[in-house]
């Protein structure tokens, strides 16, 4: 009985590799969304004019290619998140310390990247326990090592609808970990029900 079957065991290195791949996908999505933003369109805006000719004010080929790649990456990212979650559960079952071990060293930081300006009552952010003035240290895969602008939050949220996002906050000098699930809610709009701003912006 000393020879155990380890074929189904999950290693810390395996999960770290999956997390790295997930973050790479999110960076690619950020770049692709910037292509759409540059052309002033989203995922559903028409690419032809009223006479069904390709629009002359945008790069139709570039936008179409970006949209197709975004759709593929979104699907791949969803599958990747499911796989990561399953493997994290497997690690947790093997050791109570495994989840903490799965966080890359470079992500274990305490530097805030943004702050919460306001939170709407009964919103996903409110249910998660966010408060006005909270400083965001980590938001899913976002942290001080890869954060570029507030729009980065939108990419993470859009690709995590209905899924739990781990959020690390700095509140009155203490660090707090909460879980948020982006989802449509009423009577508000959006998926979070809060406003996230740059650290230098006024919270008004």
């Amino acid at each position: 009985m000393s020879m155990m079957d380890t074929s189904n065991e999950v290693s810390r290195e395996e999960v770290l590799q999956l997390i790295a791949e997930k973050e790479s996908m999110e960076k690619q999505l950020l770049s692709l969304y910037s292509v759409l933003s540059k052309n002033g369109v989203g995922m559903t805006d028409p690419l032809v004019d009223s006479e069904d000719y390709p629009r002359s004010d945008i790069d139709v080929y570039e936008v179409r290619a970006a949209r197709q790649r975004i759709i593929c990456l979104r699907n791949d990212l969803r599958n990747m998140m499911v796989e990561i979650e399953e493997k994290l559960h497997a690690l947790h079952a093997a050791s109570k310390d495994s989840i903490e071990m799965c966080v890359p060293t470079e992500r274990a930081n305490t530097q805030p990247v943004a702050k919460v300006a306001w939170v709407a009552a009964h919103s996903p952010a409110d249910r998660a326990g966010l408060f006005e003035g909270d400083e965001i240290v980590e938001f899913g895969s976002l942290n001080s090592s890869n954060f570029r602008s507030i729009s980065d939050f939108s990419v993470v949220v859009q690709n995590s609808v209905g899924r739990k996002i781990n959020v690390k906050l700095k509140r009155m000098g203490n660090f707090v970990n909460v879980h948020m699930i982006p989802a449509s809610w009423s009577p508000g709009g959006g998926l979070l029900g809060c406003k996230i701003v740059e650290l230098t912006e006024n919270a008004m």
Side-chain angles (χ1 to χ4, degrees):
M1 299 295 292
S2 60
M3 295 182 63
M4 298 179 63
D5 181 9
T6 60
S7 60
N8 293 324
E9 290 184 359
V10 178
S11 69
R12 171 179 177 273
E13 289 71 22
E14 183 179 356
V15 177
L16 288 175
Q17 178 61 36
L18 288 173
I19 291 174
E21 292 177 11
K22 170 180 171 290
E23 293 180 346
S24 176
M25 289 181 186
E26 289 175 338
K27 289 178 181 178
Q28 292 179 58
L29 279 170
L30 285 171
S31 178
L32 291 166
Y33 277 116
S34 69
V35 170
L36 301 186
S37 177
K38 178 185 68 176
N39 283 276
V41 297
M43 289 293 292
T44 59
D45 293 290
L47 303 184
V48 296
D49 58 25
S50 59
E51 298 180 352
D52 287 334
Y53 286 102
R55 288 173 55 178
S56 60
D57 60 323
I58 62 174
D59 188 329
V60 174
Y61 176 81
E62 182 181 47
V63 170
R64 183 179 291 116
R67 284 178 172 178
Q68 292 174 345
R69 184 59 181 151
I70 286 172
I71 292 171
C72 291
L73 275 174
R74 279 178 172 175
N75 293 331
D76 291 343
L77 187 57
R78 291 191 190 98
N79 294 333
M80 178 71 69
M81 291 173 71
V82 170
E83 186 176 1
I84 289 174
E85 185 174 354
E86 290 176 348
K87 292 187 183 300
L88 281 174
H89 283 308
L91 275 177
H92 182 61
S95 169
K96 292 182 179 180
D97 297 326
S98 293
I99 291 182
E100 284 74 20
M101 291 170 60
C102 288
V103 180
T105 302
E106 61 269 22
R107 293 183 60 203
N109 60 75
T110 58
Q111 183 65 42
V113 297
K115 66 181 178 181
V116 179
W118 52 260
V119 178
H122 310 301
S123 66
D126 185 33
R127 291 193 293 269
L130 268 69
F131 292 95
E132 178 180 335
D134 282 346
E135 294 182 338
I136 300 175
V137 177
E138 292 186 1
F139 191 88
S141 60
L142 281 180
N143 58 77
S144 61
S145 68
N146 57 20
F147 175 75
R148 295 183 299 179
S149 69
I150 291 298
S151 62
D152 292 353
F153 285 94
S154 297
V155 175
V156 176
V157 170
Q158 290 170 6
N159 290 282
S160 302
V161 177
R163 292 190 158 285
K164 180 173 67 177
I165 297 178
N166 297 319
V167 182
K168 183 176 182 179
L169 304 168
K170 185 175 182 180
R171 179 183 297 164
M172 299 180 66
N174 298 314
F175 292 98
V176 180
N177 292 298
V178 301
H179 304 300
M180 180 186 300
I181 301 178
S184 298
W185 62 286
S186 180
L191 297 170
L192 296 183
C194 69
K195 183 177 181 181
I196 298 174
V197 300
E198 299 279 358
L199 286 171
T200 55
E201 290 187 37
N202 195 325
M204 293 297 291

